[in-house]
Amino acid sequence: MSGVGLAHNTLVVAAGVAAVGFAAGVVGSLCVLRKRALVGDAAAHATLVGVAVAFLATGRRDLPTLLLGGLASACVGLGALVLIRRWTRTRDDAATAIVIGVGFGLGIALISGIPAWGYPDSAGLETFLLGHTAALTARDAVVLAAVAAAALAVVVAAFKESVLVAFDAAFAAASGWPVTAIDCLIVVLVATMVVVGLPAVGAVLVTALVVIPPVAARFWTDRASTMLALAGAIGLVSALVGVAVSASRPGLATGPLVVLAAAAWFVVSFLAAPGRGWIARRREAAAAGRSWDEGLVIDACLRLTGGGASAHADAEATGAFTEEGAIAAAAGDRADGRAAAARAWSAVVVAGLVEPAAAGRWRLSTAGRATAAARRQRVEAWLRLFAEDPDAARGLATVDLTGASGLSSAIRS
Amino acid sequence: MTVAAAGVQTVVDGSREPLLEFHDVTVAYGRRPVVWHVDLAIDAPCLFGIIGPNGAGKSTLLKAALGLVPVVGGRVRFFGAPLDRVRPRVGYVPQRETVDWDFPVSVMDVVLMGTYARLGWFRRPGSKERRLAAESLDRVGLADLVGRQIGRLSGGQQQRVFLARALAQQADVYLLDEPMAGVDVRSQEEIFRVLGELRRDGRLVVVVHHDLRTAAEWFDRAALIDMRLVASGPTAEVLTPDNLRRTYAGQLEILDEVGRAVAERGRTS
């Protein structure tokens, strides 16, 4: 019977923390898009003071009370951040570091002092440092989930306004939007998510839920709305993984596990995401390089053939060239030009664009002539476009001038 | 007589208030004045150039008009009213470098931002706004790029996206901050074609501009600014060697170049 109750409690807590993870990813995306990623960190470290003070004032470990205290001190910390910036002309990063340091120092001083000051119910306050979901009750989890849902609702309502300010605050202000108020809204939302993330992830690491999922999500999409949803999903899964693993083994704090799960998402994203991912960009760069080299070889062959226009007489003699000649003509002055041209030559041979002629010489095949001519046409068309409308030419997302287009992929497949 | 006023239906309904008026405007960063007692009134729709050297306070003057930087003294009026009362009638094109072009939004998303002020809080753009945005993009020649992420555009295309966003604001007065910076000649012409259309429709277009050679050709009226207002009026009367010398003191090579250009223009017209 108690086993069922326990399982039920675990499930409710997991669901609550998952909701927090989702909302933290969504809210954090706005913060990251506004280029204020460290705001969450400052808020997080400032929460400890409020948690401790709320406990000292009430003497009870009632989660909503402690979190309200945390939210209050997070807001005080963020207010201090703004004031330090404005009054002392301290730069953003230094001001953030001051708030993080002071908030954390004061918080730790209070939390480590409280047991010694004779509060019987104080055990477990230190779980707010690194997070420990096992201590949560189903009722706590419902509170967390409700706050997360409310924060999500606000983001959905004010999505248009937040993205506008994040993208172009000057334009937003000029067209009459209260930029400061919208910025405050974003910051308070982030502080709220940090606070409800505390019990699960802890003050030290809760920024991981606010910053890492948005950054990971950005790799997969060029749309803000998709980024928010994806960051939410990544936050949710990271939170669940952290809860599940820490519940499976005694002595594992949830926070570090959540961070590690989120970090894994980040690594996978920046490596494997199509388009923006590292692997995709490296492959594209390599493919572009090969494509250029092959185009240069084809063009060199065409030049050695005599421009393809030599209608007179015997192509066997006039249209033939040596491998060495073609490679040298294509290589140019590039340091690795010869090696690249030699590789490209092999690709051109395999693709059947050149064929053996007499006496160990080569000539362009029918397909090769067509490819070379098509390449010249494309180059000329692009140069014409560049002369007429340089902007359009520069703005083309993919320009295939290299002529041997599809050659490399054909060979690979 | 000004070119613009002739035969153009103005947007100002009967009132005699200037479309845009700077009255004794002073702006300072700390104790250092950036704009000094500028008095300037623009009465009729036209293409108006605000011209001056780097650091002359041209952009600051625009930002002061839009309330983006506080004024130390003086006031700015649009249609005789403070900006807050007429904001929907004022469009703005900021400098291109002020935003992060890697931001995850499409060309359409950015142009739709021009409709947000009229939509108000919490309402999302609908089919009407999308149509307006598409028309605006069409006017700047970018109709086929609606879905592209804004980072994958050339500089001139990005500038035209900003212009399309301003068009979607459907304003009566447009303020543009250096729309020609880092933009190739053809895009410049395209942008000025659109600005010319706006003027024909009875809009006032105020452009912060630093290229003196094109200024003489493009603007009906102009103001030369070097912290203070040096001169204002019809462009040909403003860009005189004497005024230029007072504005660009110490930058003689520019003066010679422009002197020749202006002299040539004088002969041809």
Side-chain angles (χ1 to χ4, degrees), chain A residues 275 277-293 334 336 343 402 408 412:
Chain A
W278 186 78
I279 293 172
R281 281 186 292 119
R282 281 302 296 265
R283 284 179 69 155
E284 168 52 28
R290 274 197 307 274
S291 186
W292 276 112
D293 294 337
R334 226 172 83 197
D336 63 338
R343 266 196 309 277
T402 45
S408 300
R412 268 199 309 278

mmCIF file with all atom_site columns, all heavy atoms in Angstrom, chain A residues 275 277-293 334 336 343 402 408 412:
data_model
loop_
_atom_site.group_PDB
_atom_site.id
_atom_site.type_symbol
_atom_site.label_atom_id
_atom_site.label_alt_id
_atom_site.label_comp_id
_atom_site.label_asym_id
_atom_site.label_entity_id
_atom_site.label_seq_id
_atom_site.pdbx_PDB_ins_code
_atom_site.Cartn_x
_atom_site.Cartn_y
_atom_site.Cartn_z
_atom_site.occupancy
_atom_site.B_iso_or_equiv
_atom_site.pdbx_formal_charge
_atom_site.auth_seq_id
_atom_site.auth_comp_id
_atom_site.auth_asym_id
_atom_site.auth_atom_id
_atom_site.pdbx_PDB_model_num
ATOM 1   N N   . GLY A 1 275 ? 22.630 21.817 -40.937 1.00 0.00 ? 275 GLY A N   1
ATOM 2   C CA  . GLY A 1 275 ? 22.756 23.240 -41.226 1.00 0.00 ? 275 GLY A CA  1
ATOM 3   C C   . GLY A 1 275 ? 23.725 23.953 -40.309 1.00 0.00 ? 275 GLY A C   1
ATOM 4   O O   . GLY A 1 275 ? 24.839 24.264 -40.684 1.00 0.00 ? 275 GLY A O   1
ATOM 5   N N   . GLY A 1 277 ? 24.935 22.768 -37.355 1.00 0.00 ? 277 GLY A N   1
ATOM 6   C CA  . GLY A 1 277 ? 25.799 21.879 -36.586 1.00 0.00 ? 277 GLY A CA  1
ATOM 7   C C   . GLY A 1 277 ? 27.210 21.829 -37.159 1.00 0.00 ? 277 GLY A C   1
ATOM 8   O O   . GLY A 1 277 ? 27.444 22.113 -38.330 1.00 0.00 ? 277 GLY A O   1
ATOM 9   N N   . TRP A 1 278 ? 28.161 21.449 -36.276 1.00 0.00 ? 278 TRP A N   1
ATOM 10  C CA  . TRP A 1 278 ? 29.556 21.459 -36.667 1.00 0.00 ? 278 TRP A CA  1
ATOM 11  C C   . TRP A 1 278 ? 29.828 20.477 -37.797 1.00 0.00 ? 278 TRP A C   1
ATOM 12  O O   . TRP A 1 278 ? 30.489 20.796 -38.783 1.00 0.00 ? 278 TRP A O   1
ATOM 13  C CB  . TRP A 1 278 ? 30.415 21.122 -35.441 1.00 0.00 ? 278 TRP A CB  1
ATOM 14  C CG  . TRP A 1 278 ? 31.878 21.243 -35.653 1.00 0.00 ? 278 TRP A CG  1
ATOM 15  C CD1 . TRP A 1 278 ? 32.601 22.391 -35.677 1.00 0.00 ? 278 TRP A CD1 1
ATOM 16  C CD2 . TRP A 1 278 ? 32.806 20.185 -35.882 1.00 0.00 ? 278 TRP A CD2 1
ATOM 17  N NE1 . TRP A 1 278 ? 33.920 22.104 -35.906 1.00 0.00 ? 278 TRP A NE1 1
ATOM 18  C CE2 . TRP A 1 278 ? 34.084 20.757 -36.036 1.00 0.00 ? 278 TRP A CE2 1
ATOM 19  C CE3 . TRP A 1 278 ? 32.681 18.788 -35.984 1.00 0.00 ? 278 TRP A CE3 1
ATOM 20  C CZ2 . TRP A 1 278 ? 35.216 20.007 -36.270 1.00 0.00 ? 278 TRP A CZ2 1
ATOM 21  C CZ3 . TRP A 1 278 ? 33.821 18.035 -36.219 1.00 0.00 ? 278 TRP A CZ3 1
ATOM 22  C CH2 . TRP A 1 278 ? 35.083 18.638 -36.358 1.00 0.00 ? 278 TRP A CH2 1
ATOM 23  N N   . ILE A 1 279 ? 29.289 19.272 -37.669 1.00 0.00 ? 279 ILE A N   1
ATOM 24  C CA  . ILE A 1 279 ? 29.545 18.253 -38.692 1.00 0.00 ? 279 ILE A CA  1
ATOM 25  C C   . ILE A 1 279 ? 28.971 18.703 -40.034 1.00 0.00 ? 279 ILE A C   1
ATOM 26  O O   . ILE A 1 279 ? 29.629 18.622 -41.070 1.00 0.00 ? 279 ILE A O   1
ATOM 27  C CB  . ILE A 1 279 ? 28.947 16.900 -38.259 1.00 0.00 ? 279 ILE A CB  1
ATOM 28  C CG1 . ILE A 1 279 ? 29.707 16.374 -37.031 1.00 0.00 ? 279 ILE A CG1 1
ATOM 29  C CG2 . ILE A 1 279 ? 29.000 15.897 -39.395 1.00 0.00 ? 279 ILE A CG2 1
ATOM 30  C CD1 . ILE A 1 279 ? 29.087 15.145 -36.397 1.00 0.00 ? 279 ILE A CD1 1
ATOM 31  N N   . ALA A 1 280 ? 27.744 19.197 -40.013 1.00 0.00 ? 280 ALA A N   1
ATOM 32  C CA  . ALA A 1 280 ? 27.118 19.628 -41.266 1.00 0.00 ? 280 ALA A CA  1
ATOM 33  C C   . ALA A 1 280 ? 27.920 20.746 -41.911 1.00 0.00 ? 280 ALA A C   1
ATOM 34  O O   . ALA A 1 280 ? 28.126 20.754 -43.130 1.00 0.00 ? 280 ALA A O   1
ATOM 35  C CB  . ALA A 1 280 ? 25.685 20.093 -40.985 1.00 0.00 ? 280 ALA A CB  1
ATOM 36  N N   . ARG A 1 281 ? 28.416 21.681 -41.082 1.00 0.00 ? 281 ARG A N   1
ATOM 37  C CA  . ARG A 1 281 ? 29.167 22.794 -41.664 1.00 0.00 ? 281 ARG A CA  1
ATOM 38  C C   . ARG A 1 281 ? 30.505 22.321 -42.230 1.00 0.00 ? 281 ARG A C   1
ATOM 39  O O   . ARG A 1 281 ? 30.930 22.758 -43.293 1.00 0.00 ? 281 ARG A O   1
ATOM 40  C CB  . ARG A 1 281 ? 29.368 23.905 -40.617 1.00 0.00 ? 281 ARG A CB  1
ATOM 41  C CG  . ARG A 1 281 ? 28.107 24.778 -40.452 1.00 0.00 ? 281 ARG A CG  1
ATOM 42  C CD  . ARG A 1 281 ? 28.350 25.956 -39.529 1.00 0.00 ? 281 ARG A CD  1
ATOM 43  N NE  . ARG A 1 281 ? 28.559 25.518 -38.161 1.00 0.00 ? 281 ARG A NE  1
ATOM 44  C CZ  . ARG A 1 281 ? 29.660 25.720 -37.467 1.00 0.00 ? 281 ARG A CZ  1
ATOM 45  N NH1 . ARG A 1 281 ? 30.662 26.367 -38.011 1.00 0.00 ? 281 ARG A NH1 1
ATOM 46  N NH2 . ARG A 1 281 ? 29.773 25.286 -36.235 1.00 0.00 ? 281 ARG A NH2 1
ATOM 47  N N   . ARG A 1 282 ? 31.159 21.387 -41.498 1.00 0.00 ? 282 ARG A N   1
ATOM 48  C CA  . ARG A 1 282 ? 32.423 20.855 -42.005 1.00 0.00 ? 282 ARG A CA  1
ATOM 49  C C   . ARG A 1 282 ? 32.201 20.109 -43.312 1.00 0.00 ? 282 ARG A C   1
ATOM 50  O O   . ARG A 1 282 ? 32.968 20.238 -44.270 1.00 0.00 ? 282 ARG A O   1
ATOM 51  C CB  . ARG A 1 282 ? 33.051 19.918 -40.962 1.00 0.00 ? 282 ARG A CB  1
ATOM 52  C CG  . ARG A 1 282 ? 33.762 20.641 -39.853 1.00 0.00 ? 282 ARG A CG  1
ATOM 53  C CD  . ARG A 1 282 ? 34.865 21.533 -40.371 1.00 0.00 ? 282 ARG A CD  1
ATOM 54  N NE  . ARG A 1 282 ? 35.923 20.767 -41.023 1.00 0.00 ? 282 ARG A NE  1
ATOM 55  C CZ  . ARG A 1 282 ? 37.027 20.377 -40.402 1.00 0.00 ? 282 ARG A CZ  1
ATOM 56  N NH1 . ARG A 1 282 ? 37.232 20.686 -39.148 1.00 0.00 ? 282 ARG A NH1 1
ATOM 57  N NH2 . ARG A 1 282 ? 37.944 19.678 -41.044 1.00 0.00 ? 282 ARG A NH2 1
ATOM 58  N N   . ARG A 1 283 ? 31.149 19.310 -43.352 1.00 0.00 ? 283 ARG A N   1
ATOM 59  C CA  . ARG A 1 283 ? 30.886 18.536 -44.569 1.00 0.00 ? 283 ARG A CA  1
ATOM 60  C C   . ARG A 1 283 ? 30.574 19.459 -45.727 1.00 0.00 ? 283 ARG A C   1
ATOM 61  O O   . ARG A 1 283 ? 31.034 19.234 -46.852 1.00 0.00 ? 283 ARG A O   1
ATOM 62  C CB  . ARG A 1 283 ? 29.706 17.583 -44.328 1.00 0.00 ? 283 ARG A CB  1
ATOM 63  C CG  . ARG A 1 283 ? 30.100 16.398 -43.504 1.00 0.00 ? 283 ARG A CG  1
ATOM 64  C CD  . ARG A 1 283 ? 28.937 15.499 -43.267 1.00 0.00 ? 283 ARG A CD  1
ATOM 65  N NE  . ARG A 1 283 ? 28.527 14.837 -44.518 1.00 0.00 ? 283 ARG A NE  1
ATOM 66  C CZ  . ARG A 1 283 ? 27.893 13.697 -44.551 1.00 0.00 ? 283 ARG A CZ  1
ATOM 67  N NH1 . ARG A 1 283 ? 27.593 13.078 -43.439 1.00 0.00 ? 283 ARG A NH1 1
ATOM 68  N NH2 . ARG A 1 283 ? 27.542 13.160 -45.686 1.00 0.00 ? 283 ARG A NH2 1
ATOM 69  N N   . GLU A 1 284 ? 29.795 20.506 -45.461 1.00 0.00 ? 284 GLU A N   1
ATOM 70  C CA  . GLU A 1 284 ? 29.452 21.442 -46.523 1.00 0.00 ? 284 GLU A CA  1
ATOM 71  C C   . GLU A 1 284 ? 30.704 22.156 -47.032 1.00 0.00 ? 284 GLU A C   1
ATOM 72  O O   . GLU A 1 284 ? 30.897 22.322 -48.239 1.00 0.00 ? 284 GLU A O   1
ATOM 73  C CB  . GLU A 1 284 ? 28.411 22.438 -46.009 1.00 0.00 ? 284 GLU A CB  1
ATOM 74  C CG  . GLU A 1 284 ? 28.161 23.645 -46.899 1.00 0.00 ? 284 GLU A CG  1
ATOM 75  C CD  . GLU A 1 284 ? 27.853 23.283 -48.347 1.00 0.00 ? 284 GLU A CD  1
ATOM 76  O OE1 . GLU A 1 284 ? 27.311 22.177 -48.592 1.00 0.00 ? 284 GLU A OE1 1
ATOM 77  O OE2 . GLU A 1 284 ? 28.172 24.095 -49.242 1.00 0.00 ? 284 GLU A OE2 1
ATOM 78  N N   . ALA A 1 285 ? 31.578 22.557 -46.071 1.00 0.00 ? 285 ALA A N   1
ATOM 79  C CA  . ALA A 1 285 ? 32.801 23.240 -46.480 1.00 0.00 ? 285 ALA A CA  1
ATOM 80  C C   . ALA A 1 285 ? 33.662 22.316 -47.334 1.00 0.00 ? 285 ALA A C   1
ATOM 81  O O   . ALA A 1 285 ? 34.211 22.724 -48.365 1.00 0.00 ? 285 ALA A O   1
ATOM 82  C CB  . ALA A 1 285 ? 33.577 23.710 -45.242 1.00 0.00 ? 285 ALA A CB  1
ATOM 83  N N   . ALA A 1 286 ? 33.768 21.042 -46.922 1.00 0.00 ? 286 ALA A N   1
ATOM 84  C CA  . ALA A 1 286 ? 34.574 20.095 -47.673 1.00 0.00 ? 286 ALA A CA  1
ATOM 85  C C   . ALA A 1 286 ? 33.967 19.862 -49.056 1.00 0.00 ? 286 ALA A C   1
ATOM 86  O O   . ALA A 1 286 ? 34.670 19.823 -50.067 1.00 0.00 ? 286 ALA A O   1
ATOM 87  C CB  . ALA A 1 286 ? 34.683 18.782 -46.902 1.00 0.00 ? 286 ALA A CB  1
ATOM 88  N N   . ALA A 1 287 ? 32.637 19.719 -49.098 1.00 0.00 ? 287 ALA A N   1
ATOM 89  C CA  . ALA A 1 287 ? 31.970 19.477 -50.380 1.00 0.00 ? 287 ALA A CA  1
ATOM 90  C C   . ALA A 1 287 ? 32.155 20.666 -51.307 1.00 0.00 ? 287 ALA A C   1
ATOM 91  O O   . ALA A 1 287 ? 32.398 20.510 -52.511 1.00 0.00 ? 287 ALA A O   1
ATOM 92  C CB  . ALA A 1 287 ? 30.481 19.207 -50.146 1.00 0.00 ? 287 ALA A CB  1
ATOM 93  N N   . ALA A 1 288 ? 32.080 21.871 -50.741 1.00 0.00 ? 288 ALA A N   1
ATOM 94  C CA  . ALA A 1 288 ? 32.260 23.071 -51.562 1.00 0.00 ? 288 ALA A CA  1
ATOM 95  C C   . ALA A 1 288 ? 33.679 23.100 -52.120 1.00 0.00 ? 288 ALA A C   1
ATOM 96  O O   . ALA A 1 288 ? 33.887 23.388 -53.299 1.00 0.00 ? 288 ALA A O   1
ATOM 97  C CB  . ALA A 1 288 ? 31.982 24.329 -50.729 1.00 0.00 ? 288 ALA A CB  1
ATOM 98  N N   . GLY A 1 289 ? 34.642 22.764 -51.260 1.00 0.00 ? 289 GLY A N   1
ATOM 99  C CA  . GLY A 1 289 ? 36.031 22.735 -51.708 1.00 0.00 ? 289 GLY A CA  1
ATOM 100 C C   . GLY A 1 289 ? 36.221 21.740 -52.848 1.00 0.00 ? 289 GLY A C   1
ATOM 101 O O   . GLY A 1 289 ? 36.813 22.065 -53.874 1.00 0.00 ? 289 GLY A O   1
ATOM 102 N N   . ARG A 1 290 ? 35.679 20.526 -52.679 1.00 0.00 ? 290 ARG A N   1
ATOM 103 C CA  . ARG A 1 290 ? 35.796 19.515 -53.738 1.00 0.00 ? 290 ARG A CA  1
ATOM 104 C C   . ARG A 1 290 ? 35.145 19.993 -55.012 1.00 0.00 ? 290 ARG A C   1
ATOM 105 O O   . ARG A 1 290 ? 35.671 19.830 -56.111 1.00 0.00 ? 290 ARG A O   1
ATOM 106 C CB  . ARG A 1 290 ? 35.128 18.211 -53.277 1.00 0.00 ? 290 ARG A CB  1
ATOM 107 C CG  . ARG A 1 290 ? 36.035 17.301 -52.481 1.00 0.00 ? 290 ARG A CG  1
ATOM 108 C CD  . ARG A 1 290 ? 35.466 15.897 -52.433 1.00 0.00 ? 290 ARG A CD  1
ATOM 109 N NE  . ARG A 1 290 ? 34.093 15.884 -51.971 1.00 0.00 ? 290 ARG A NE  1
ATOM 110 C CZ  . ARG A 1 290 ? 33.733 15.847 -50.699 1.00 0.00 ? 290 ARG A CZ  1
ATOM 111 N NH1 . ARG A 1 290 ? 34.649 15.855 -49.765 1.00 0.00 ? 290 ARG A NH1 1
ATOM 112 N NH2 . ARG A 1 290 ? 32.464 15.832 -50.360 1.00 0.00 ? 290 ARG A NH2 1
ATOM 113 N N   . SER A 1 291 ? 33.973 20.610 -54.838 1.00 0.00 ? 291 SER A N   1
ATOM 114 C CA  . SER A 1 291 ? 33.233 21.058 -56.005 1.00 0.00 ? 291 SER A CA  1
ATOM 115 C C   . SER A 1 291 ? 34.027 22.107 -56.782 1.00 0.00 ? 291 SER A C   1
ATOM 116 O O   . SER A 1 291 ? 34.096 22.062 -58.014 1.00 0.00 ? 291 SER A O   1
ATOM 117 C CB  . SER A 1 291 ? 31.888 21.624 -55.537 1.00 0.00 ? 291 SER A CB  1
ATOM 118 O OG  . SER A 1 291 ? 31.091 21.946 -56.635 1.00 0.00 ? 291 SER A OG  1
ATOM 119 N N   . TRP A 1 292 ? 34.668 23.027 -56.038 1.00 0.00 ? 292 TRP A N   1
ATOM 120 C CA  . TRP A 1 292 ? 35.516 24.016 -56.703 1.00 0.00 ? 292 TRP A CA  1
ATOM 121 C C   . TRP A 1 292 ? 36.649 23.331 -57.458 1.00 0.00 ? 292 TRP A C   1
ATOM 122 O O   . TRP A 1 292 ? 36.917 23.636 -58.622 1.00 0.00 ? 292 TRP A O   1
ATOM 123 C CB  . TRP A 1 292 ? 36.124 24.983 -55.687 1.00 0.00 ? 292 TRP A CB  1
ATOM 124 C CG  . TRP A 1 292 ? 35.241 26.119 -55.323 1.00 0.00 ? 292 TRP A CG  1
ATOM 125 C CD1 . TRP A 1 292 ? 34.652 26.331 -54.113 1.00 0.00 ? 292 TRP A CD1 1
ATOM 126 C CD2 . TRP A 1 292 ? 34.832 27.202 -56.156 1.00 0.00 ? 292 TRP A CD2 1
ATOM 127 N NE1 . TRP A 1 292 ? 33.900 27.471 -54.148 1.00 0.00 ? 292 TRP A NE1 1
ATOM 128 C CE2 . TRP A 1 292 ? 33.997 28.033 -55.386 1.00 0.00 ? 292 TRP A CE2 1
ATOM 129 C CE3 . TRP A 1 292 ? 35.096 27.545 -57.481 1.00 0.00 ? 292 TRP A CE3 1
ATOM 130 C CZ2 . TRP A 1 292 ? 33.415 29.191 -55.889 1.00 0.00 ? 292 TRP A CZ2 1
ATOM 131 C CZ3 . TRP A 1 292 ? 34.519 28.700 -57.993 1.00 0.00 ? 292 TRP A CZ3 1
ATOM 132 C CH2 . TRP A 1 292 ? 33.685 29.503 -57.199 1.00 0.00 ? 292 TRP A CH2 1
ATOM 133 N N   . ASP A 1 293 ? 37.322 22.392 -56.763 1.00 0.00 ? 293 ASP A N   1
ATOM 134 C CA  . ASP A 1 293 ? 38.478 21.737 -57.376 1.00 0.00 ? 293 ASP A CA  1
ATOM 135 C C   . ASP A 1 293 ? 38.062 21.022 -58.657 1.00 0.00 ? 293 ASP A C   1
ATOM 136 O O   . ASP A 1 293 ? 38.729 21.105 -59.678 1.00 0.00 ? 293 ASP A O   1
ATOM 137 C CB  . ASP A 1 293 ? 39.083 20.738 -56.383 1.00 0.00 ? 293 ASP A CB  1
ATOM 138 C CG  . ASP A 1 293 ? 39.679 21.454 -55.178 1.00 0.00 ? 293 ASP A CG  1
ATOM 139 O OD1 . ASP A 1 293 ? 40.001 22.645 -55.312 1.00 0.00 ? 293 ASP A OD1 1
ATOM 140 O OD2 . ASP A 1 293 ? 39.797 20.826 -54.112 1.00 0.00 ? 293 ASP A OD2 1
ATOM 141 N N   . ARG A 1 334 ? 47.749 27.776 -55.149 1.00 0.00 ? 334 ARG A N   1
ATOM 142 C CA  . ARG A 1 334 ? 47.362 27.365 -53.797 1.00 0.00 ? 334 ARG A CA  1
ATOM 143 C C   . ARG A 1 334 ? 48.384 26.387 -53.247 1.00 0.00 ? 334 ARG A C   1
ATOM 144 O O   . ARG A 1 334 ? 48.921 25.551 -53.978 1.00 0.00 ? 334 ARG A O   1
ATOM 145 C CB  . ARG A 1 334 ? 45.992 26.696 -53.867 1.00 0.00 ? 334 ARG A CB  1
ATOM 146 C CG  . ARG A 1 334 ? 45.026 27.155 -52.803 1.00 0.00 ? 334 ARG A CG  1
ATOM 147 C CD  . ARG A 1 334 ? 43.666 26.571 -53.094 1.00 0.00 ? 334 ARG A CD  1
ATOM 148 N NE  . ARG A 1 334 ? 43.559 25.215 -52.590 1.00 0.00 ? 334 ARG A NE  1
ATOM 149 C CZ  . ARG A 1 334 ? 42.608 24.364 -52.983 1.00 0.00 ? 334 ARG A CZ  1
ATOM 150 N NH1 . ARG A 1 334 ? 41.719 24.736 -53.882 1.00 0.00 ? 334 ARG A NH1 1
ATOM 151 N NH2 . ARG A 1 334 ? 42.544 23.169 -52.482 1.00 0.00 ? 334 ARG A NH2 1
ATOM 152 N N   . ASP A 1 336 ? 48.102 23.821 -51.281 1.00 0.00 ? 336 ASP A N   1
ATOM 153 C CA  . ASP A 1 336 ? 47.748 22.419 -51.451 1.00 0.00 ? 336 ASP A CA  1
ATOM 154 C C   . ASP A 1 336 ? 47.058 22.197 -52.799 1.00 0.00 ? 336 ASP A C   1
ATOM 155 O O   . ASP A 1 336 ? 46.318 21.249 -52.994 1.00 0.00 ? 336 ASP A O   1
ATOM 156 C CB  . ASP A 1 336 ? 46.819 21.980 -50.321 1.00 0.00 ? 336 ASP A CB  1
ATOM 157 C CG  . ASP A 1 336 ? 45.506 22.749 -50.334 1.00 0.00 ? 336 ASP A CG  1
ATOM 158 O OD1 . ASP A 1 336 ? 45.489 23.859 -50.918 1.00 0.00 ? 336 ASP A OD1 1
ATOM 159 O OD2 . ASP A 1 336 ? 44.512 22.253 -49.793 1.00 0.00 ? 336 ASP A OD2 1
ATOM 160 N N   . ARG A 1 343 ? 43.289 15.042 -56.593 1.00 0.00 ? 343 ARG A N   1
ATOM 161 C CA  . ARG A 1 343 ? 42.091 14.354 -56.083 1.00 0.00 ? 343 ARG A CA  1
ATOM 162 C C   . ARG A 1 343 ? 40.909 14.618 -57.003 1.00 0.00 ? 343 ARG A C   1
ATOM 163 O O   . ARG A 1 343 ? 40.147 13.724 -57.342 1.00 0.00 ? 343 ARG A O   1
ATOM 164 C CB  . ARG A 1 343 ? 41.763 14.854 -54.669 1.00 0.00 ? 343 ARG A CB  1
ATOM 165 C CG  . ARG A 1 343 ? 42.356 14.018 -53.560 1.00 0.00 ? 343 ARG A CG  1
ATOM 166 C CD  . ARG A 1 343 ? 41.674 14.317 -52.215 1.00 0.00 ? 343 ARG A CD  1
ATOM 167 N NE  . ARG A 1 343 ? 41.614 15.754 -51.909 1.00 0.00 ? 343 ARG A NE  1
ATOM 168 C CZ  . ARG A 1 343 ? 42.634 16.434 -51.360 1.00 0.00 ? 343 ARG A CZ  1
ATOM 169 N NH1 . ARG A 1 343 ? 43.760 15.826 -51.074 1.00 0.00 ? 343 ARG A NH1 1
ATOM 170 N NH2 . ARG A 1 343 ? 42.504 17.720 -51.111 1.00 0.00 ? 343 ARG A NH2 1
ATOM 171 N N   . THR A 1 402 ? 30.320 25.754 -59.525 1.00 0.00 ? 402 THR A N   1
ATOM 172 C CA  . THR A 1 402 ? 31.463 24.881 -59.669 1.00 0.00 ? 402 THR A CA  1
ATOM 173 C C   . THR A 1 402 ? 31.262 23.854 -60.769 1.00 0.00 ? 402 THR A C   1
ATOM 174 O O   . THR A 1 402 ? 32.180 23.158 -61.116 1.00 0.00 ? 402 THR A O   1
ATOM 175 C CB  . THR A 1 402 ? 31.763 24.217 -58.336 1.00 0.00 ? 402 THR A CB  1
ATOM 176 O OG1 . THR A 1 402 ? 30.537 23.756 -57.785 1.00 0.00 ? 402 THR A OG1 1
ATOM 177 C CG2 . THR A 1 402 ? 32.350 25.237 -57.402 1.00 0.00 ? 402 THR A CG2 1
ATOM 178 N N   . SER A 1 408 ? 30.633 15.043 -56.948 1.00 0.00 ? 408 SER A N   1
ATOM 179 C CA  . SER A 1 408 ? 31.164 14.429 -55.734 1.00 0.00 ? 408 SER A CA  1
ATOM 180 C C   . SER A 1 408 ? 30.152 13.518 -55.074 1.00 0.00 ? 408 SER A C   1
ATOM 181 O O   . SER A 1 408 ? 30.475 12.405 -54.667 1.00 0.00 ? 408 SER A O   1
ATOM 182 C CB  . SER A 1 408 ? 31.566 15.514 -54.737 1.00 0.00 ? 408 SER A CB  1
ATOM 183 O OG  . SER A 1 408 ? 32.544 16.325 -55.295 1.00 0.00 ? 408 SER A OG  1
ATOM 184 N N   . ARG A 1 412 ? 30.356 9.527  -54.321 1.00 0.00 ? 412 ARG A N   1
ATOM 185 C CA  . ARG A 1 412 ? 30.245 8.954  -52.979 1.00 0.00 ? 412 ARG A CA  1
ATOM 186 C C   . ARG A 1 412 ? 29.166 7.897  -52.904 1.00 0.00 ? 412 ARG A C   1
ATOM 187 O O   . ARG A 1 412 ? 29.320 6.879  -52.260 1.00 0.00 ? 412 ARG A O   1
ATOM 188 C CB  . ARG A 1 412 ? 29.951 10.056 -51.961 1.00 0.00 ? 412 ARG A CB  1
ATOM 189 C CG  . ARG A 1 412 ? 31.203 10.643 -51.330 1.00 0.00 ? 412 ARG A CG  1
ATOM 190 C CD  . ARG A 1 412 ? 30.881 11.349 -50.044 1.00 0.00 ? 412 ARG A CD  1
ATOM 191 N NE  . ARG A 1 412 ? 29.799 12.306 -50.198 1.00 0.00 ? 412 ARG A NE  1
ATOM 192 C CZ  . ARG A 1 412 ? 29.970 13.539 -50.670 1.00 0.00 ? 412 ARG A CZ  1
ATOM 193 N NH1 . ARG A 1 412 ? 31.160 13.931 -51.016 1.00 0.00 ? 412 ARG A NH1 1
ATOM 194 N NH2 . ARG A 1 412 ? 28.961 14.358 -50.780 1.00 0.00 ? 412 ARG A NH2 1
#
